[in-house]
Amino acid sequence: MEYFIWLLKDILWPKKCYSCKKEWHFFCRQCLSKIQKYEDKCYLCKKQTKDFVLHTKCRQLVYFDQVIILSHYKEKIIKKLIKDWKFYWKKDIFEELWLYLYELFKSIYKDIKNKQDYIVVSSPMSFFRKLKRWYNQSYILAKSFSNHSGIYYEKNLINKTINTRQQSKLNKLDRMKNLKKSFKINDKYIDMIDNKTIIFIDDVISTWTTLNEISKVLKKSWAKKIIWLIVASD
């Protein structure tokens, strides 16, 4: 049924690529191949690494292990796509970008034999922020990724308990204070985390402050590894 709804929407209101204006895609593969991809580098020190894995020394400073990023936020098309889906309710844009994220992930993790050792999670959003935007874009990306990959997704694993100020408007020190104790693991699922690899999926990151605060509560509950899968970053 969902497929026919998408088909009907494509017939009545055909998608157009934001770049080349061809129909049937918001961002076609040909245009994707032309933009600057995010290099395989450690997200913390910005030096070259393999498959986006943080260097051993860098992992001693933070709680996450790997930050896989599709593209640079400075790319005009990527920035336009993200702003439209975030602030103008164009949720259909996610239908293609989650697939590009999945393909990037599969290029690194080619054969996951024990999918039960992984959990897909979306970045939590406070009630008031969700009420303002109508939906959580991270949830849409993560749910689609889970459906396609067959890896279990739990949307209620992490809760945001405090309606914090917008991170992009704060300096580094204030960002850390702003997020302190703002994330909590749902007691119902805490045993699920033990020795699991957590795949966190989100649209944009500008600093590692939020990543680290969320990863911190997971590692303290004995998560084995934290992977962040992101559409774009600076």
Side-chain angles (χ1 to χ4, degrees):
M1 182 65 180
E2 190 174 1
Y3 169 77
F4 289 107
I5 292 174
W6 286 347
L7 183 62
L8 182 62
K9 286 166 67 178
D10 282 341
I11 293 172
L12 296 177
W13 304 283
K15 303 171 186 174
K16 288 187 178 180
C17 177
Y18 272 49
S19 182
C20 68
K21 308 305 179 184
K22 291 180 181 177
E23 291 188 350
W24 303 108
H25 296 280
F26 285 118
F27 192 46
C28 68
R29 290 185 180 276
Q30 186 176 1
C31 293
L32 176 68
S33 66
K34 295 177 182 178
I35 67 171
Q36 183 182 0
K37 302 299 190 302
Y38 211 92
E39 305 85 354
D40 282 18
K41 60 185 180 182
C42 170
Y43 189 74
L44 210 64
C45 69
K46 308 303 182 185
K47 294 180 180 179
Q48 188 175 4
T49 187
K50 181 175 173 55
D51 296 333
F52 301 92
V53 176
L54 270 65
H55 298 118
T56 303
K57 288 184 178 180
C58 293
R59 289 203 301 274
Q60 293 173 0
L61 303 174
V62 293
Y63 291 91
F64 51 92
D65 304 277
Q66 187 178 19
V67 185
I68 304 171
I69 303 170
L70 178 65
S71 182
H72 291 268
Y73 188 66
K74 64 184 179 183
E75 289 284 339
K76 291 182 179 180
I77 297 299
I78 293 293
K79 184 182 291 187
K80 174 65 174 171
L81 285 163
I82 290 172
K83 284 187 175 181
D84 278 4
W85 86 44
K86 256 187 169 179
F87 304 111
Y88 297 102
W89 306 289
K90 294 186 179 181
K91 293 194 293 183
D92 290 352
I93 292 173
F94 289 104
E95 294 172 10
E96 291 168 359
L97 290 178
W98 74 260
L99 181 59
Y100 297 150
L101 268 184
Y102 172 73
E103 290 172 350
L104 175 60
F105 179 83
K106 285 292 289 182
S107 70
I108 297 171
Y109 291 88
K110 296 178 175 62
D111 184 23
I112 297 179
K113 294 181 180 179
N114 299 314
K115 292 183 179 179
Q116 67 271 19
D117 293 335
Y118 294 77
I119 302 174
V120 174
V121 181
S122 52
S123 187
M125 182 180 287
S126 69
F127 172 78
F128 294 105
R129 185 69 58 83
K130 188 174 181 180
L131 190 65
K132 182 179 179 180
R133 288 193 182 165
W134 294 8
Y135 60 88
N136 182 346
Q137 67 277 0
S138 178
Y139 163 80
I140 298 172
L141 286 169
K143 182 64 175 175
S144 298
F145 179 93
S146 173
N147 290 341
H148 203 71
S149 66
I151 300 173
Y152 176 74
Y153 167 59
E154 181 48 64
K155 70 175 181 177
N156 297 314
L157 186 66
I158 298 279
N159 294 326
K160 191 168 187 182
T161 57
I162 302 172
N163 186 35
T164 54
R165 296 161 62 192
Q166 192 171 337
Q167 286 287 97
S168 60
K169 296 180 179 180
L170 304 175
N171 60 41
K172 185 176 180 180
L173 181 60
D174 286 339
R175 285 176 178 178
M176 295 176 70
K177 292 179 180 178
N178 186 46
L179 291 175
K180 191 174 182 180
K181 296 182 179 180
S182 61
F183 299 104
K184 184 179 183 298
I185 295 173
N186 190 326
D187 292 339
K188 182 179 178 181
Y189 303 104
I190 197 162
D191 292 336
M192 181 188 295
I193 301 169
D194 191 13
N195 206 34
K196 293 290 196 302
T197 294
I198 310 297
I199 306 171
F200 248 103
I201 301 181
D202 210 346
D203 55 348
V204 179
I205 52 171
S206 55
T207 69
W208 53 266
T209 314
T210 303
L211 277 69
N212 201 47
E213 194 64 28
I214 295 175
S215 299
K216 179 180 178 180
V217 299
L218 287 165
K219 281 288 181 75
K220 286 190 172 182
S221 296
W222 304 104
K224 180 181 180 181
K225 183 178 180 181
I226 310 292
I227 302 169
W228 285 82
L229 187 56
I230 308 293
V231 174
S233 181
D234 296 330

